[in-house]
């Protein structure tokens, strides 16, 4: 077999990185469940008409086709891999509404697929961790203030740089654009969403190309420059001299989010009025999250309020949610050696092997340690003692257990190969220090 060619955009972590990923997921789960979110997993595929119903996503969707035609007929492609977890969640709510209790709080940790160009922190297959709250008919706005607090606690549970959650409100932006007299607010939102990628001059040109005047483009850019960690952003918006009822509604909703966050978690949330989010199913508050020191790579966590995504006839289930790009976050941290685990293997103890005839005794010791929750393995071969210790060192195993040999006096001994300390030990009672029971994030 020839050496395989790497496939870009589909990350495969090394074992130590996978251990780190699992511990990150465990901490996220704990935080989500502390806030009352229940776990959920949806299928990987959705009908294409559902995937393409909202947002500019057609170029990103991976479609599915069977290799072999059925009865000689090649079925039309009708399924695609989901590009986020919000669209399948909305479908799930509609299908199971009669079995769910509302407001329904769920977390979902699952892979998604997007046909994007791979680059630093951006993949074609990646893991997301989502939380959403949906209700029937109406969703109280206080949930829009709760979502960033949950994410703040979740990310603070990790040994990673600080985060800044930037919030805006689509009503504020749309009301401002309508107050300016711009005819297609949604198009202007999509243009402004490109501000960090293409810069203000290019954004102004696009606004003018979409039917705006130079003065209107200037006003849109002035709005996008406003930032604050309290409700003072409202004064800055009103100073621009634009009026519209939807603008007032958006200002009030955004102020409530910012002030709630300022009371409970100062410095976590910032009103940033350039934030728009490209997917058009968002209708109110929107979020993007920067990792301090990694701002140039863009948001590692985003989401917002959606009122019409989960709807069928008279049944409407408005919601609000946010998604952590777990693979994106980890990839950036791994590449900069900013996140690791204390050892690259779960094994805490290697039981030495004197000879193949004494393997059964080493196996009994390992079984006794495992029965008490201590990850243990037996040396692969009865090599010289120094080689067995070096094997443990290469694997990152902190302790080596020396069984009492049938040909020697004395009992079992265990050695911490980092410090060299060696003590008598009983496999039914000995425990490693708590910090060595399992790999830990660092």
């Amino acid at each position: 077999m020839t050496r395989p060619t790497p496939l870009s955009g589909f990350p495969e972590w090394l074992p130590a990185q996978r251990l780190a990923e699992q511990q990150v997921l465990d901490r996220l789960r704990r935080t989500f469940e502390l806030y009352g979110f229940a776990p959920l997993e949806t299928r990987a595929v959705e009908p294409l008409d559902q995937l393409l119903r909202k947002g500019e996503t057609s170029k990103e969707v991976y479609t599915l086709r069977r290799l072999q035609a059925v009865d000689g007929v090649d079925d039309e492609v009708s399924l695609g891999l989901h590009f986020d977890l919000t669209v399948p969640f909305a479908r799930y709510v509609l299908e199971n509404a009669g079995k769910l209790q509302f407001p329904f709080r769920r977390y979902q940790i699952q892979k998604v697929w997007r046909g994007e160009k791979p680059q630093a922190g951006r993949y074609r297959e990646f893991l997301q961790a989502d939380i959403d709250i949906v209700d029937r008919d109406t969703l109280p706005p206080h949930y829009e203030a709760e979502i960033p607090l949950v994410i703040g606690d979740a990310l603070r549970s990790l040994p990673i740089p600080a985060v800044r959650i930037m919030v805006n409100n689509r009503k504020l932006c749309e009301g401002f654009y309508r107050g300016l007299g711009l005819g297609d607010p949604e198009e202007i939102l999509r243009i402004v969403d490109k501000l960090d990628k293409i810069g203000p001059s290019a954004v102004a040109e696009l606004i003018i190309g979409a039917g705006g005047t130079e003065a209107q483009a200037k006003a849109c850019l002035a709005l996008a420059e406003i930032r604050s960690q309290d409700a003072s952003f409202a004064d800055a918006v009103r100073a621009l001299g634009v009026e519209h009822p939807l603008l007032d509604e958006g200002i009030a909703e955004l102020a409530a989010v910012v002030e709630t966050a300022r009371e409970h978690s100062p410095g976590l949330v910032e009103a940033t009025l350039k934030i728009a989010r490209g997917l058009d199913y968002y209708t109110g508050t929107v979020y993007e999250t920067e990792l301090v020191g990694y701002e140039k790579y863009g948001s590692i966590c985003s989401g917002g309020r959606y009122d019409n995504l989960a709807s069928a006839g008279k049944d409407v289930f408005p919601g609000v949610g946010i998604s952590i790009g777990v693979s994106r976050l980890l990839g950036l941290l791994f590449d900069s050696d900013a996140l690791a685990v204390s050892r690259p293997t779960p094994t805490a103890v290697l039981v030495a092997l004197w000879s193949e005839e004494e393997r059964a005794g080493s196996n009994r010791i390992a079984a006794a340690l495992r029965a008490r929750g201590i990850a243990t393995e037996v040396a692969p071969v009865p090599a010289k003692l120094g080689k067995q210790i070096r094997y443990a060192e290469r694997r990152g195993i902190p302790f080596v257990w020396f069984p009492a040999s049938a040909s020697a006096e004395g009992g079992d001994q265990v050695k911490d190969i980092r410090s060299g300390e060696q003590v008598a030990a009983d496999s039914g009672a000995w425990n490693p220090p708590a910090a060595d029971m399992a790999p830990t994030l660092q």
Side-chain angles (χ1 to χ4, degrees):
M1 179 179 178
T2 59
R3 183 182 295 275
T5 302
L7 190 59
S8 63
F10 296 85
E12 294 178 320
W13 306 133
L14 293 171
Q17 295 171 328
R18 176 60 174 156
L19 283 170
E21 180 183 61
Q22 289 178 319
Q23 294 216 12
V24 166
L25 297 181
D26 287 343
R27 295 192 190 189
L28 295 180
R29 287 188 194 99
R30 284 198 294 271
T31 304
F32 296 159
E33 291 180 1
L34 281 174
Y35 277 85
F37 291 86
L40 185 66
E41 181 170 322
T42 57
R43 65 198 186 206
V45 299
E46 297 291 335
L48 276 177
D49 60 347
Q50 293 297 311
L51 288 175
L52 305 182
R53 189 162 56 93
K54 293 286 184 178
E56 295 182 328
T57 58
S58 58
K59 67 179 182 298
E60 299 178 356
V61 175
Y62 280 106
T63 59
L64 272 67
R65 185 189 297 274
R66 281 178 288 187
L67 183 62
Q68 300 295 334
V70 178
D71 297 329
V73 178
D74 189 9
D75 290 346
E76 180 182 354
V77 175
S78 58
L79 296 176
L81 294 171
H82 54 223
F83 60 85
D84 73 358
L85 299 179
T86 305
V87 171
F89 174 59
R91 185 266 309 159
Y92 178 92
V93 169
L94 290 174
E95 290 183 2
N96 295 278
K99 304 172 186 177
L100 302 175
Q101 296 296 318
F102 294 96
F104 179 46
R105 305 162 71 91
R106 84 85 166 85
Y107 75 87
Q108 188 169 346
I109 301 174
Q110 209 170 331
K111 285 191 173 181
V112 302
W113 295 266
R114 295 182 187 176
E116 298 183 307
K117 181 179 179 181
Q119 52 188 294
R122 191 174 293 276
Y123 306 105
R124 292 170 173 169
E125 178 185 66
F126 54 98
L127 193 66
Q128 287 191 177
D130 284 26
I131 55 171
D132 283 81
I133 305 171
V134 297
D135 209 342
R136 187 186 291 271
D137 298 326
T138 60
L139 181 74
H142 64 79
Y143 290 121
E144 296 171 51
E146 180 183 356
I147 288 290
L149 299 180
V150 180
I151 291 299
D153 281 354
L155 295 177
R156 274 196 295 261
S157 74
L158 306 174
I160 64 175
V163 299
R164 181 186 304 108
I165 301 179
M166 301 173 291
V167 298
N168 195 5
N169 192 289
R170 295 281 284 253
K171 295 177 185 177
L172 186 159
C173 295
E174 183 178 342
F176 186 87
Y177 303 150
R178 290 188 183 281
L180 281 175
L182 290 164
D184 190 351
E186 289 188 358
E187 175 62 19
I188 303 303
L189 275 169
R190 283 190 286 269
I191 292 172
V192 173
D193 192 44
K194 301 174 183 178
L195 185 59
D196 286 340
K197 294 180 180 179
I198 65 176
S201 297
V203 165
E205 290 179 7
L206 289 175
I207 292 174
I208 294 170
T213 66
E214 186 175 337
Q216 289 170 328
K218 184 177 179 180
C220 292
L221 290 173
L223 180 73
E225 291 175 357
I226 297 172
R227 308 175 71 141
S228 76
Q229 293 187 356
D230 56 29
S232 63
F233 74 88
D235 294 332
V237 174
R238 293 191 174 100
L240 298 176
V242 177
E243 296 183 358
H244 193 277
L246 192 60
L247 171 62
D248 295 336
E249 188 176 341
I251 288 174
E253 291 179 1
L254 183 57
V257 172
V258 173
E259 286 300 309
T260 299
R262 190 167 71 93
E263 178 182 352
H264 293 279
S265 188
L268 174 66
V269 169
E270 175 187 85
T272 308
L273 304 195
K274 67 179 179 179
I275 301 303
R277 304 295 301 136
L279 295 172
D280 64 12
Y281 53 65
Y282 294 120
T283 56
T285 300
V286 288
Y287 317 96
E288 289 193 357
T289 307
E290 290 180 339
L291 188 65
V292 175
Y294 296 79
E295 291 87 351
K296 68 178 182 180
Y297 296 106
S299 178
I300 53 98
C301 177
S302 57
R305 166 88 181 226
Y306 48 90
D307 286 320
N308 305 311
L309 184 60
S311 60
K314 294 182 179 179
D315 294 324
V316 179
F317 300 91
V320 61
I322 197 167
S323 172
I324 301 173
V326 177
S327 299
R328 180 176 178 81
L329 172 64
L330 292 180
L332 295 173
L333 295 174
F334 290 157
D335 287 347
S336 59
D337 295 323
L339 184 68
V341 283
S342 56
R343 64 176 187 260
T345 177
T347 307
V349 178
L350 176 75
V351 181
L353 182 63
W354 301 127
S355 68
E356 283 299 334
E357 290 73 23
E358 295 176 272
R359 182 177 289 278
S362 292
N363 285 341
R364 284 193 292 271
I365 293 169
L369 292 170
R370 293 186 197 116
R372 294 188 297 106
I374 303 169
T376 307
E377 60 183 271
V378 176
V381 294
K384 292 182 179 179
L385 185 58
K387 287 187 176 181
Q388 295 190 53
I389 292 174
R390 286 194 292 276
Y391 172 81
E393 288 175 335
R394 290 195 301 270
R395 294 283 312 285
I397 301 171
F399 295 94
V400 175
W401 192 284
F402 305 127
S405 174
S407 61
E409 297 181 0
D412 291 3
Q413 301 271 318
V414 65
K415 180 175 184 175
D416 184 335
I417 62 174
R418 300 161 300 184
S419 66
E421 181 182 5
Q422 184 169 322
V423 297
D426 177 355
S427 61
W430 177 86
N431 287 294
D436 288 323
M437 280 292 288
T440 56
L441 283 173
Q442 56 184 28

